[in-house]
Amino acid sequence: IDRDEFVVYYEPQIRLDTGAVSGAAAVVRWNHPERGVLLPASFIPIAEAHQELIERLTYKVLEIAVSDDERRREQNINLKLSIGLSTNLLSDLALPDKIMRILDAHSFDPSRLILEITESGAMEDPSLTMDILTRLRLKNIRLSLDDFGTGFSSLVQLYRMPFNELKVDKSFVMGAISSKEAAAISRVTIDLGHSLGLEVVAEGVEDEETYNWLGSLGCEICQGYFISPPLDAAAFSTWIHDHKRHPLAVSV
């Protein structure tokens, strides 16, 4: 962190009804001087085990992401930005104000920020989580329930929380075409999200058949390698311009 070795990559998100780019999911990479580019699984668990480290890393990622976004806005690229929020930070009542200070420093509209919170993380301390999530929503920051279906949460507790978006976990989406069970879970999750008035995002879209199937179910947004792998900031800007010239076909 001190040596600025972390970079942020962006996984494009597409609207299934129009084929237009709706936003990007920010994912961190460690540009290690000896080992090359490392994926989150190799270092996030270490950071998660130390409260100070995960806090510093989270705010570092947010700082990089909104700084990159500031440069994209100069190119008239104005998209939503999704960033994962560590469960460890959901115990800090000052979290919303800390985030807003970073956003304000880059003139970033908070309504374009989507914080992704895992289902299991949201349920660790529901009352405290509800307090912090409500404060974030009051600041017009959007909230996404990530990895839905992989935990065992009470739906009564979940529906009371102020989420805007629900993400279908990639483990279900990637298996939806070959497995009737994965397809059923994906379908029920999409229907549940719509019943609760949430936008639904499917991650892990690997092929055109899955892309078209999700569109037929009314899923709003998708991401995955069929759209694009995560890209560094420069490549992401180039990809956006290319996509405008050659958009994906609407899936329905």
Side-chain angles (χ1 to χ4, degrees):
I1 296 172
D2 291 339
R3 292 194 300 270
D4 291 323
E5 291 176 1
F6 288 99
V7 294
V8 175
Y9 280 47
Y10 301 91
E11 185 171 353
Q13 297 176 324
I14 297 290
R15 287 204 64 89
L16 285 148
D17 55 352
T18 65
V21 184
S22 66
V27 288
V28 64
R29 300 284 188 264
W30 184 355
N31 192 10
H32 196 284
E34 297 173 1
R35 300 184 183 182
V37 177
L38 302 179
L39 299 179
S42 65
F43 59 85
I44 289 295
I46 300 171
E48 289 276 9
H50 301 83
Q51 181 72 17
E52 181 187 357
L53 280 180
I54 194 59
E55 285 185 9
R56 290 186 62 200
L57 181 57
T58 298
Y59 292 125
K60 184 70 172 179
V61 169
L62 179 59
E63 174 74 38
I64 294 170
V66 296
S67 179
D68 287 344
D69 179 86
E70 194 169 18
R71 286 187 285 274
R72 283 194 295 272
R73 275 180 281 149
E74 295 172 357
Q75 306 172 47
N76 294 318
I77 299 173
N78 219 337
L79 300 171
K80 291 178 182 176
L81 187 63
S82 297
I83 296 178
L85 187 66
S86 170
T87 301
N88 291 6
L89 274 67
L90 291 177
S91 61
D92 182 8
L93 290 174
L95 172 70
D97 291 328
K98 292 177 180 176
I99 290 175
M100 283 304 301
R101 281 196 289 272
I102 295 174
L103 301 187
D104 289 342
H106 294 274
S107 302
F108 188 99
D109 179 356
S111 68
R112 292 197 299 113
L113 179 64
I114 303 172
L115 296 178
E116 299 180 353
I117 298 147
T118 62
E119 177 187 356
S120 56
M123 291 298 103
E124 283 194 7
D125 187 342
S127 59
L128 180 57
T129 298
M130 174 70 84
D131 191 347
I132 293 173
L133 297 186
T134 301
R135 294 179 190 212
L136 289 166
R137 286 296 298 125
L138 288 172
K139 294 183 181 299
N140 214 21
I141 294 170
R142 297 172 63 82
L143 303 171
S144 177
L145 183 59
D146 195 15
D147 295 344
F148 184 77
T150 60
F152 301 93
S153 305
S154 164
L155 290 177
V156 173
Q157 291 175 318
L158 283 177
Y159 95 83
R160 291 173 177 166
M161 292 186 172
F163 287 101
N164 307 95
E165 177 182 285
L166 185 151
K167 296 194 80 171
V168 187
D169 188 69
K170 63 182 179 182
S171 61
F172 304 126
V173 175
M174 293 173 69
I177 300 302
S178 59
S179 164
K180 64 180 182 180
E181 292 83 7
I185 293 172
S186 299
R187 186 183 297 110
V188 168
T189 301
I190 292 169
D191 289 344
L192 176 62
H194 290 159
S195 297
L196 295 174
L198 307 177
E199 276 201 322
V200 180
V201 179
E203 52 185 356
V205 178
E206 301 284 300
D207 53 60
E208 186 174 8
E209 189 175 2
T210 304
Y211 175 78
N212 290 332
W213 179 76
L214 289 166
S216 72
L217 296 179
C219 181
E220 284 86 0
I221 298 169
C222 71
Q223 64 187 77
Y225 274 57
F226 175 67
I227 311 301
S228 170
L231 305 166
D232 65 32
F236 178 52
S237 294
T238 299
W239 183 92
I240 291 171
H241 291 302
D242 289 343
H243 180 81
K244 288 179 179 178
R245 291 194 295 270
H246 307 286
L248 284 172
V250 176
S251 66
V252 292

